[in-house]
Amino acid sequence: MDQLRRKQIQSLQDNHIVYRINGNAYEIPCNVGQAQLVLKMVFPPGFPQEAPQISVQNCQHPWIVNDRIVFPFQSWTVNTSLGRIVKEILAEFALHPPTVTAEFTLTTAERPNRQPPPVPVDRISLLIDTKSSLELEHLIEDKPSRKKLLQSITQVQEWKKVIQDLLNENALVAEQTMHAAQQVEKSKIYVSELSQRFSKEQVQARLKERVKQLERESDEIVEHFVNGELTETDFVQQFRKKRQDYHLNAIRQQQL
């Protein structure tokens, strides 16, 4: 019968975050919509032949009678999975949320002999409850077995995954930061080159040369017209465009 009891506790631990209050009492925190509830579970002396008692305070729901959850325990047997039962309860509460009349939280003030607020590591003690005396002695003497036990806990596995994900993200951020730093350095070099290329002195020199070139090209257009190489219409169009460019560049040169 102890083996069946340990099996039931194991099914509960494998599927939910469970806090052990004392030898026969546990709490399961859960979120239902915007409300935070705590399912209180008590194992009677006849468990698992006798169904556990699960209660939740300050809630109204068809499954709750006098703060006790009565359904789906109506068909309880020793082979009924306690973890599955709790899943069904949470699924029903998610589908049809209970009406919460007051906020319920984990507290030490409800029972005078109650332990301090539990922490998630209590899942380890819950797992140990499923072990026989021989298995516990083996764990004490064998370090690899203890390590294997810890690594078998779902929450430890989740923590390791979170840590690995953080390490991967940090590595990615570091790589992206290094790449960005290289791009910034290239941009600095490019900006420096542009600053030298487009310095005031360089721009003035280019404008001065451009003005001289436009002046020469204007004279060439006049010479072509005088030599009869251009019609009057072509001369007017080309000369006007060239002089416009000349005066614009001359103004820019003066403004600098």
Side-chain angles (χ1 to χ4, degrees):
M1 202 54 60
D2 287 341
Q3 183 177 359
L4 288 175
R5 179 186 177 92
R6 290 196 298 269
K7 182 178 179 181
Q8 291 287 4
I9 295 175
Q10 182 72 48
S11 72
L12 183 67
Q13 171 208 335
D14 288 343
N15 295 280
H16 308 283
I17 296 178
V18 182
Y19 296 115
R20 185 179 184 182
I21 306 307
N22 54 48
N24 293 313
Y26 301 84
E27 286 183 345
I28 304 174
C30 58
N31 294 324
V32 179
Q34 300 296 324
Q36 293 183 347
L37 305 181
V38 177
L39 304 182
K40 290 187 175 183
M41 181 177 298
V42 176
F43 295 146
F47 177 79
Q49 291 95 337
E50 186 179 350
Q53 300 176 4
I54 299 183
S55 61
V56 56
Q57 296 181 353
N58 305 321
C59 289
Q60 296 178 355
H61 188 276
W63 285 17
I64 302 175
V65 178
N66 295 328
D67 290 341
R68 285 186 57 184
I69 300 176
V70 296
F71 187 88
F73 289 106
Q74 297 170 343
S75 58
W76 173 268
T77 68
V78 293
N79 295 318
T80 301
S81 171
L82 182 56
R84 179 180 59 80
I85 289 291
V86 174
K87 273 188 175 180
E88 291 181 6
I89 294 172
L90 297 180
E92 169 63 20
F93 284 179
L95 186 62
H96 304 102
T99 302
V100 180
T101 58
E103 183 177 1
F104 189 90
T105 58
L106 293 168
T107 173
T108 59
E110 296 176 3
R111 299 189 184 94
N113 297 324
R114 189 164 168 182
Q115 305 260 335
V119 294
V121 76
D122 282 345
R123 290 172 63 88
I124 300 176
S125 62
L126 186 61
L127 181 60
I128 292 176
D129 283 346
T130 66
K131 304 296 181 182
S132 66
S133 298
L134 290 177
E135 290 174 325
L136 291 176
E137 290 179 3
H138 179 68
L139 286 174
I140 293 174
E141 298 174 356
D142 188 36
K143 183 176 180 180
S145 297
R146 292 198 303 272
K147 182 178 180 180
K148 183 177 180 181
L149 174 66
L150 289 173
Q151 292 178 344
S152 68
I153 299 174
T154 302
Q155 191 171 19
V156 172
Q157 296 172 357
E158 292 174 353
W159 287 344
K160 291 179 65 177
K161 184 179 183 303
V162 169
I163 292 173
Q164 187 59 50
D165 289 343
L166 289 174
L167 290 175
N168 293 338
E169 290 177 6
N170 288 341
L172 179 60
V173 170
E175 182 179 354
Q176 292 174 342
T177 301
M178 183 177 297
H179 178 71
Q182 293 173 350
Q183 294 300 316
V184 169
E185 190 62 30
K186 291 181 180 179
S187 298
K188 288 181 178 179
I189 297 174
Y190 180 68
V191 170
S192 177
E193 292 175 351
L194 288 178
S195 298
Q196 295 176 3
R197 181 180 177 185
F198 294 100
S199 64
K200 182 177 180 180
E201 292 76 11
Q202 290 288 339
V203 173
Q204 283 180 333
R206 288 190 178 90
L207 285 174
K208 184 178 180 180
E209 183 61 33
R210 179 60 177 164
V211 169
K212 290 180 179 181
Q213 180 182 354
L214 290 170
E215 182 69 24
R216 290 194 300 269
E217 291 174 356
S218 298
D219 292 341
E220 290 174 357
I221 292 174
V222 172
E223 184 177 350
H224 291 325
F225 176 69
V226 171
N227 294 334
E229 298 175 5
L230 291 174
T231 65
E232 182 177 350
T233 301
D234 291 338
F235 167 73
V236 171
Q237 289 178 347
Q238 294 182 21
F239 188 76
R240 179 181 296 171
K241 176 65 172 61
K242 197 65 65 174
R243 297 311 291 178
Q244 286 177 345
D245 291 344
Y246 170 84
H247 290 296
L248 284 175
N249 283 273
I251 292 173
R252 290 171 183 168
Q253 180 182 4
Q254 292 174 1
Q255 289 177 345
L256 288 177

